[in-house]
Amino acid sequence: MNLYQQRDFGEKINATIQYAVKQIRSLGTALLYIAGAPALIAGIASGVSSASMLTTRPTIGPGYNVSDWMAQQLSSPYYIVTVIFALLIPLLVNLTVYGHLKVYDRNQGEPVTVEAVWAEVQSALGRAVATWVMVSILVIAATFFFIIPGIYVGVVFSLALAVVVFEGASAGTFMGRCFELIRDKWWSTFGLIIVISLIAYLLGFVFNVPAAAVGMMVSLKIAPDMPIYVAILTSILSTVGSVLVSALIALGIAFQYFNLIEIREGRSILTAIDNIGSSTPPPIPRSTDEGDY
């Protein structure tokens, strides 16, 4: 599959799903090794935290004090661990997906190994963390003014980690590059994120149903003595689902990035020119006008 290629809206969706299916073994293995341990820890901590919230919830009455109960739950080490890893996991998933794509493009058909992907993740991790923090601050700040600026900035900077991994950008240089790439293509990027997120949500719903069902049964006293390991197992399943969902969204954003690079720079055409005279020059992809999308 040629990554750097102009694709219309439907082709980007198809490329995302096609890559996920064809590379499910190597990409899944990389996600397991790199994001698996944090996901497992987060799942266990979330399960214990949820079980504690449901089983220790005070009964409404004269001595009812929900603020003290909430403060106790939110200060629980299990809840704190859950929050920390919930912020870390999407970053690791994005870096793993982009690292896998980078190695795939470099290997030209050769198998993608976990070691090679991990090397790319390590190389970009420091810059990615700084970028991730800066993007979060900018999006939150923009949202405080009004929700629309927050959405606009969020879509623009959805390309930030891709720019960091594929171009070696830093927290000080990614902003200008994101605005440059997304110029006149904000709506197509926004639409792609919405559609991919909807697909991912529908797929992830399957993983979230057991945890929601357990929580509902305990909360409604249908199964008040539910063993804690059931809550932990369903929470782990939900966390694994969130990893897969995040990976699919990251793939969709990556193919939009490749599309924008091809529109702005014609990278595949330049590569084809550089390879004139070689035995197997890469094909020049057809140029398509994606219109508004």
Side-chain angles (χ1 to χ4, degrees):
M1 177 186 290
N2 184 18
L3 300 183
Y4 291 93
Q5 176 179 331
Q6 289 191 46
R7 293 178 171 91
D8 62 26
F9 191 82
E11 288 172 336
K12 282 178 280 192
I13 300 291
N14 291 336
T16 299
I17 297 174
Q18 183 181 357
Y19 189 91
V21 172
K22 287 189 175 181
Q23 300 296 322
I24 187 170
R25 175 176 293 184
S26 62
L27 180 57
T29 303
L31 287 169
L32 175 64
Y33 276 90
I34 297 171
L40 180 62
I41 295 172
I44 294 173
S46 175
V48 174
S49 178
S50 298
S52 174
M53 285 186 178
L54 292 171
T55 56
T56 63
R57 187 180 62 179
T59 304
I60 297 177
Y64 182 74
N65 192 335
V66 69
S67 60
D68 290 344
W69 173 76
M70 282 298 298
Q72 180 182 3
Q73 296 302 319
L74 295 179
S75 62
S76 163
Y78 294 107
Y79 182 81
I80 294 172
V81 168
T82 300
V83 171
I84 292 173
F85 279 91
L87 297 173
L88 177 63
I89 290 171
L91 175 64
L92 290 176
V93 170
N94 276 267
L95 290 180
T96 301
V97 170
Y98 297 153
H100 190 281
L101 286 161
K102 189 174 181 179
V103 175
Y104 174 88
D105 184 58
R106 183 173 66 232
N107 283 3
Q108 295 294 319
E110 294 297 321
V112 178
T113 64
V114 176
E115 292 79 6
V117 176
W118 174 236
E120 295 294 339
V121 172
Q122 284 181 303
S123 174
L125 186 58
R127 291 176 287 111
V129 169
T131 301
W132 190 259
V133 171
M134 187 171 293
V135 166
S136 300
I137 293 172
L138 290 171
V139 171
I140 292 172
T143 305
F144 274 133
F145 286 100
F146 196 61
I147 191 170
I148 293 178
I151 294 173
Y152 178 81
V153 171
V155 172
V156 172
F157 292 148
S158 65
L159 302 173
L161 290 181
V163 170
V164 168
V165 173
F166 295 113
E167 302 183 16
S170 66
T173 60
F174 77 91
M175 287 188 284
R177 182 59 168 164
C178 288
F179 278 105
E180 176 188 353
L181 288 174
I182 211 168
R183 188 181 70 251
D184 300 327
K185 294 296 180 180
W186 188 92
W187 282 108
S188 66
T189 306
F190 176 69
L192 181 67
I193 291 174
I194 292 296
V195 173
I196 287 291
S197 297
L198 180 60
I199 295 173
Y201 172 79
L202 294 175
L203 294 175
F205 183 75
V206 177
F207 295 93
N208 293 323
V209 166
V214 168
M216 183 177 296
M217 286 189 291
V218 174
S219 179
L220 297 177
K221 306 298 183 182
I222 298 175
D225 298 323
M226 181 79 68
I228 190 171
Y229 71 82
V230 176
I232 293 174
L233 290 176
T234 55
S235 181
I236 291 174
L237 180 64
S238 177
T239 306
V240 170
S242 71
V243 169
L244 298 178
V245 165
S246 299
L248 191 63
I249 295 173
L251 274 175
I253 293 173
F255 278 102
Q256 175 67 344
Y257 167 82
F258 298 137
N259 174 63
L260 295 175
I261 287 291
E262 187 62 23
I263 291 172
R264 306 298 181 205
E265 302 175 0
R267 183 171 299 184
S268 66
I269 296 176
L270 294 176
T271 302
I273 293 173
D274 290 339
N275 283 276
I276 290 177
S278 64
S279 57
T280 55
I284 301 177
R286 66 183 180 88
S287 175
T288 57
D289 181 9
E290 64 177 355
D292 292 336
Y293 291 95

